[in-house]
mmCIF file with all atom_site columns, all heavy atoms in Angstrom:
data_model
loop_
_atom_site.group_PDB
_atom_site.id
_atom_site.type_symbol
_atom_site.label_atom_id
_atom_site.label_alt_id
_atom_site.label_comp_id
_atom_site.label_asym_id
_atom_site.label_entity_id
_atom_site.label_seq_id
_atom_site.pdbx_PDB_ins_code
_atom_site.Cartn_x
_atom_site.Cartn_y
_atom_site.Cartn_z
_atom_site.occupancy
_atom_site.B_iso_or_equiv
_atom_site.pdbx_formal_charge
_atom_site.auth_seq_id
_atom_site.auth_comp_id
_atom_site.auth_asym_id
_atom_site.auth_atom_id
_atom_site.pdbx_PDB_model_num
ATOM 1   N N   . PHE A 1 11 ? 105.516 92.191 111.813 1.00 84.00 ? 1091 PHE A N   1
ATOM 2   C CA  . PHE A 1 11 ? 106.913 91.771 111.855 1.00 84.00 ? 1091 PHE A CA  1
ATOM 3   C C   . PHE A 1 11 ? 107.556 92.393 113.090 1.00 84.00 ? 1091 PHE A C   1
ATOM 4   O O   . PHE A 1 11 ? 107.830 93.586 113.106 1.00 84.00 ? 1091 PHE A O   1
ATOM 5   C CB  . PHE A 1 11 ? 107.669 92.235 110.606 1.00 84.00 ? 1091 PHE A CB  1
ATOM 6   C CG  . PHE A 1 11 ? 107.246 91.545 109.352 1.00 84.00 ? 1091 PHE A CG  1
ATOM 7   C CD1 . PHE A 1 11 ? 106.342 92.149 108.485 1.00 84.00 ? 1091 PHE A CD1 1
ATOM 8   C CD2 . PHE A 1 11 ? 107.756 90.299 109.027 1.00 84.00 ? 1091 PHE A CD2 1
ATOM 9   C CE1 . PHE A 1 11 ? 105.955 91.512 107.309 1.00 84.00 ? 1091 PHE A CE1 1
ATOM 10  C CE2 . PHE A 1 11 ? 107.371 89.660 107.857 1.00 84.00 ? 1091 PHE A CE2 1
ATOM 11  C CZ  . PHE A 1 11 ? 106.472 90.270 106.999 1.00 84.00 ? 1091 PHE A CZ  1
ATOM 12  N N   . SER A 1 12 ? 107.786 91.601 114.134 1.00 77.00 ? 1092 SER A N   1
ATOM 13  C CA  . SER A 1 12 ? 108.475 92.124 115.311 1.00 77.00 ? 1092 SER A CA  1
ATOM 14  C C   . SER A 1 12 ? 109.972 92.191 115.033 1.00 77.00 ? 1092 SER A C   1
ATOM 15  O O   . SER A 1 12 ? 110.651 93.111 115.461 1.00 77.00 ? 1092 SER A O   1
ATOM 16  C CB  . SER A 1 12 ? 108.182 91.281 116.543 1.00 77.00 ? 1092 SER A CB  1
ATOM 17  O OG  . SER A 1 12 ? 108.529 89.931 116.301 1.00 77.00 ? 1092 SER A OG  1
ATOM 18  N N   . GLU A 1 13 ? 110.463 91.201 114.332 1.00 77.00 ? 1093 GLU A N   1
ATOM 19  C CA  . GLU A 1 13 ? 111.837 91.213 113.830 1.00 77.00 ? 1093 GLU A CA  1
ATOM 20  C C   . GLU A 1 13 ? 111.719 91.091 112.315 1.00 77.00 ? 1093 GLU A C   1
ATOM 21  O O   . GLU A 1 13 ? 111.294 90.065 111.811 1.00 77.00 ? 1093 GLU A O   1
ATOM 22  C CB  . GLU A 1 13 ? 112.647 90.059 114.393 1.00 77.00 ? 1093 GLU A CB  1
ATOM 23  C CG  . GLU A 1 13 ? 112.949 90.201 115.856 1.00 77.00 ? 1093 GLU A CG  1
ATOM 24  C CD  . GLU A 1 13 ? 113.859 89.099 116.355 1.00 77.00 ? 1093 GLU A CD  1
ATOM 25  O OE1 . GLU A 1 13 ? 114.679 88.584 115.570 1.00 77.00 ? 1093 GLU A OE1 1
ATOM 26  O OE2 . GLU A 1 13 ? 113.734 88.768 117.532 1.00 77.00 ? 1093 GLU A OE2 1
ATOM 27  N N   . THR A 1 14 ? 112.063 92.138 111.650 1.00 71.00 ? 1094 THR A N   1
ATOM 28  C CA  . THR A 1 14 ? 111.866 92.175 110.213 1.00 71.00 ? 1094 THR A CA  1
ATOM 29  C C   . THR A 1 14 ? 113.001 91.489 109.471 1.00 71.00 ? 1094 THR A C   1
ATOM 30  O O   . THR A 1 14 ? 114.162 91.754 109.751 1.00 71.00 ? 1094 THR A O   1
ATOM 31  C CB  . THR A 1 14 ? 111.757 93.635 109.735 1.00 71.00 ? 1094 THR A CB  1
ATOM 32  O OG1 . THR A 1 14 ? 110.625 94.211 110.360 1.00 71.00 ? 1094 THR A OG1 1
ATOM 33  C CG2 . THR A 1 14 ? 111.576 93.722 108.236 1.00 71.00 ? 1094 THR A CG2 1
ATOM 34  N N   . PRO A 1 15 ? 112.646 90.657 108.522 1.00 85.00 ? 1095 PRO A N   1
ATOM 35  C CA  . PRO A 1 15 ? 113.688 90.142 107.632 1.00 85.00 ? 1095 PRO A CA  1
ATOM 36  C C   . PRO A 1 15 ? 114.181 91.298 106.759 1.00 85.00 ? 1095 PRO A C   1
ATOM 37  O O   . PRO A 1 15 ? 113.495 92.302 106.604 1.00 85.00 ? 1095 PRO A O   1
ATOM 38  C CB  . PRO A 1 15 ? 112.952 89.101 106.793 1.00 85.00 ? 1095 PRO A CB  1
ATOM 39  C CG  . PRO A 1 15 ? 111.531 89.550 106.806 1.00 85.00 ? 1095 PRO A CG  1
ATOM 40  C CD  . PRO A 1 15 ? 111.325 90.215 108.136 1.00 85.00 ? 1095 PRO A CD  1
ATOM 41  N N   . ARG A 1 16 ? 115.342 91.158 106.191 1.00 92.00 ? 1096 ARG A N   1
ATOM 42  C CA  . ARG A 1 16 ? 115.854 92.204 105.299 1.00 92.00 ? 1096 ARG A CA  1
ATOM 43  C C   . ARG A 1 16 ? 115.063 92.244 103.998 1.00 92.00 ? 1096 ARG A C   1
ATOM 44  O O   . ARG A 1 16 ? 114.962 93.272 103.361 1.00 92.00 ? 1096 ARG A O   1
ATOM 45  C CB  . ARG A 1 16 ? 117.330 91.971 105.018 1.00 92.00 ? 1096 ARG A CB  1
ATOM 46  C CG  . ARG A 1 16 ? 118.179 92.193 106.259 1.00 92.00 ? 1096 ARG A CG  1
ATOM 47  C CD  . ARG A 1 16 ? 119.614 91.942 105.962 1.00 92.00 ? 1096 ARG A CD  1
ATOM 48  N NE  . ARG A 1 16 ? 120.120 93.072 105.207 1.00 92.00 ? 1096 ARG A NE  1
ATOM 49  C CZ  . ARG A 1 16 ? 121.170 93.775 105.554 1.00 92.00 ? 1096 ARG A CZ  1
ATOM 50  N NH1 . ARG A 1 16 ? 121.840 93.463 106.628 1.00 92.00 ? 1096 ARG A NH1 1
ATOM 51  N NH2 . ARG A 1 16 ? 121.573 94.780 104.819 1.00 92.00 ? 1096 ARG A NH2 1
ATOM 52  N N   . LYS A 1 17 ? 114.500 91.083 103.608 1.00 94.00 ? 1097 LYS A N   1
ATOM 53  C CA  . LYS A 1 17 ? 113.727 91.020 102.366 1.00 94.00 ? 1097 LYS A CA  1
ATOM 54  C C   . LYS A 1 17 ? 112.488 90.159 102.558 1.00 94.00 ? 1097 LYS A C   1
ATOM 55  O O   . LYS A 1 17 ? 112.547 89.111 103.183 1.00 94.00 ? 1097 LYS A O   1
ATOM 56  C CB  . LYS A 1 17 ? 114.572 90.427 101.239 1.00 94.00 ? 1097 LYS A CB  1
ATOM 57  C CG  . LYS A 1 17 ? 113.803 90.313 99.930  1.00 94.00 ? 1097 LYS A CG  1
ATOM 58  C CD  . LYS A 1 17 ? 114.606 89.714 98.804  1.00 94.00 ? 1097 LYS A CD  1
ATOM 59  C CE  . LYS A 1 17 ? 113.754 89.660 97.543  1.00 94.00 ? 1097 LYS A CE  1
ATOM 60  N NZ  . LYS A 1 17 ? 114.429 89.045 96.419  1.00 94.00 ? 1097 LYS A NZ  1
ATOM 61  N N   . ILE A 1 18 ? 111.378 90.633 102.007 1.00 95.00 ? 1098 ILE A N   1
ATOM 62  C CA  . ILE A 1 18 ? 110.184 89.801 101.893 1.00 95.00 ? 1098 ILE A CA  1
ATOM 63  C C   . ILE A 1 18 ? 110.275 89.162 100.515 1.00 95.00 ? 1098 ILE A C   1
ATOM 64  O O   . ILE A 1 18 ? 110.342 89.868 99.501  1.00 95.00 ? 1098 ILE A O   1
ATOM 65  C CB  . ILE A 1 18 ? 108.897 90.620 102.075 1.00 95.00 ? 1098 ILE A CB  1
ATOM 66  C CG1 . ILE A 1 18 ? 108.859 91.182 103.498 1.00 95.00 ? 1098 ILE A CG1 1
ATOM 67  C CG2 . ILE A 1 18 ? 107.673 89.764 101.784 1.00 95.00 ? 1098 ILE A CG2 1
ATOM 68  C CD1 . ILE A 1 18 ? 107.711 92.105 103.782 1.00 95.00 ? 1098 ILE A CD1 1
ATOM 69  N N   . GLN A 1 19 ? 110.322 87.864 100.478 1.00 95.00 ? 1099 GLN A N   1
ATOM 70  C CA  . GLN A 1 19 ? 110.581 87.115 99.247  1.00 95.00 ? 1099 GLN A CA  1
ATOM 71  C C   . GLN A 1 19 ? 109.463 87.268 98.218  1.00 95.00 ? 1099 GLN A C   1
ATOM 72  O O   . GLN A 1 19 ? 108.325 87.621 98.545  1.00 95.00 ? 1099 GLN A O   1
ATOM 73  C CB  . GLN A 1 19 ? 110.784 85.628 99.575  1.00 95.00 ? 1099 GLN A CB  1
ATOM 74  C CG  . GLN A 1 19 ? 111.959 85.352 100.486 1.00 95.00 ? 1099 GLN A CG  1
ATOM 75  C CD  . GLN A 1 19 ? 113.290 85.733 99.858  1.00 95.00 ? 1099 GLN A CD  1
ATOM 76  O OE1 . GLN A 1 19 ? 113.493 85.611 98.653  1.00 95.00 ? 1099 GLN A OE1 1
ATOM 77  N NE2 . GLN A 1 19 ? 114.205 86.222 100.679 1.00 95.00 ? 1099 GLN A NE2 1
ATOM 78  N N   . ASN A 1 20 ? 109.787 86.938 96.976  1.00 97.00 ? 1100 ASN A N   1
ATOM 79  C CA  . ASN A 1 20 ? 108.816 86.942 95.881  1.00 97.00 ? 1100 ASN A CA  1
ATOM 80  C C   . ASN A 1 20 ? 107.601 86.092 96.253  1.00 97.00 ? 1100 ASN A C   1
ATOM 81  O O   . ASN A 1 20 ? 107.749 85.023 96.838  1.00 97.00 ? 1100 ASN A O   1
ATOM 82  C CB  . ASN A 1 20 ? 109.440 86.370 94.612  1.00 97.00 ? 1100 ASN A CB  1
ATOM 83  C CG  . ASN A 1 20 ? 110.626 87.155 94.122  1.00 97.00 ? 1100 ASN A CG  1
ATOM 84  O OD1 . ASN A 1 20 ? 110.887 88.270 94.566  1.00 97.00 ? 1100 ASN A OD1 1
ATOM 85  N ND2 . ASN A 1 20 ? 111.365 86.585 93.195  1.00 97.00 ? 1100 ASN A ND2 1
ATOM 86  N N   . TYR A 1 21 ? 106.421 86.582 95.919  1.00 97.00 ? 1101 TYR A N   1
ATOM 87  C CA  . TYR A 1 21 ? 105.145 85.878 96.069  1.00 97.00 ? 1101 TYR A CA  1
ATOM 88  C C   . TYR A 1 21 ? 104.737 85.559 97.511  1.00 97.00 ? 1101 TYR A C   1
ATOM 89  O O   . TYR A 1 21 ? 103.757 84.855 97.728  1.00 97.00 ? 1101 TYR A O   1
ATOM 90  C CB  . TYR A 1 21 ? 105.142 84.555 95.273  1.00 97.00 ? 1101 TYR A CB  1
ATOM 91  C CG  . TYR A 1 21 ? 105.545 84.671 93.842  1.00 97.00 ? 1101 TYR A CG  1
ATOM 92  C CD1 . TYR A 1 21 ? 106.816 84.276 93.426  1.00 97.00 ? 1101 TYR A CD1 1
ATOM 93  C CD2 . TYR A 1 21 ? 104.665 85.178 92.888  1.00 97.00 ? 1101 TYR A CD2 1
ATOM 94  C CE1 . TYR A 1 21 ? 107.201 84.373 92.090  1.00 97.00 ? 1101 TYR A CE1 1
ATOM 95  C CE2 . TYR A 1 21 ? 105.044 85.285 91.553  1.00 97.00 ? 1101 TYR A CE2 1
ATOM 96  C CZ  . TYR A 1 21 ? 106.310 84.878 91.170  1.00 97.00 ? 1101 TYR A CZ  1
ATOM 97  O OH  . TYR A 1 21 ? 106.684 84.974 89.858  1.00 97.00 ? 1101 TYR A OH  1
ATOM 98  N N   . THR A 1 22 ? 105.427 86.061 98.524  1.00 95.00 ? 1102 THR A N   1
ATOM 99  C CA  . THR A 1 22 ? 105.188 85.648 99.914  1.00 95.00 ? 1102 THR A CA  1
ATOM 100 C C   . THR A 1 22 ? 103.731 85.760 100.342 1.00 95.00 ? 1102 THR A C   1
ATOM 101 O O   . THR A 1 22 ? 103.190 84.833 100.938 1.00 95.00 ? 1102 THR A O   1
ATOM 102 C CB  . THR A 1 22 ? 106.079 86.447 100.888 1.00 95.00 ? 1102 THR A CB  1
ATOM 103 O OG1 . THR A 1 22 ? 107.435 86.221 100.540 1.00 95.00 ? 1102 THR A OG1 1
ATOM 104 C CG2 . THR A 1 22 ? 105.860 86.015 102.318 1.00 95.00 ? 1102 THR A CG2 1
ATOM 105 N N   . PHE A 1 23 ? 103.082 86.884 100.061 1.00 96.00 ? 1103 PHE A N   1
ATOM 106 C CA  . PHE A 1 23 ? 101.692 87.083 100.482 1.00 96.00 ? 1103 PHE A CA  1
ATOM 107 C C   . PHE A 1 23 ? 100.756 87.257 99.280  1.00 96.00 ? 1103 PHE A C   1
ATOM 108 O O   . PHE A 1 23 ? 99.627  87.737 99.442  1.00 96.00 ? 1103 PHE A O   1
ATOM 109 C CB  . PHE A 1 23 ? 101.589 88.292 101.415 1.00 96.00 ? 1103 PHE A CB  1
ATOM 110 C CG  . PHE A 1 23 ? 102.359 88.120 102.688 1.00 96.00 ? 1103 PHE A CG  1
ATOM 111 C CD1 . PHE A 1 23 ? 103.605 88.708 102.847 1.00 96.00 ? 1103 PHE A CD1 1
ATOM 112 C CD2 . PHE A 1 23 ? 101.856 87.349 103.724 1.00 96.00 ? 1103 PHE A CD2 1
ATOM 113 C CE1 . PHE A 1 23 ? 104.330 88.544 104.012 1.00 96.00 ? 1103 PHE A CE1 1
ATOM 114 C CE2 . PHE A 1 23 ? 102.574 87.171 104.899 1.00 96.00 ? 1103 PHE A CE2 1
ATOM 115 C CZ  . PHE A 1 23 ? 103.822 87.768 105.041 1.00 96.00 ? 1103 PHE A CZ  1
#
Side-chain angles (χ1 to χ4, degrees):
F1091 291 98
S1092 56
E1093 290 185 30
T1094 298
R1096 292 179 75 125
K1097 179 181 181 182
I1098 296 175
Q1099 299 296 326
N1100 299 347
Y1101 309 103
T1102 301
F1103 297 100

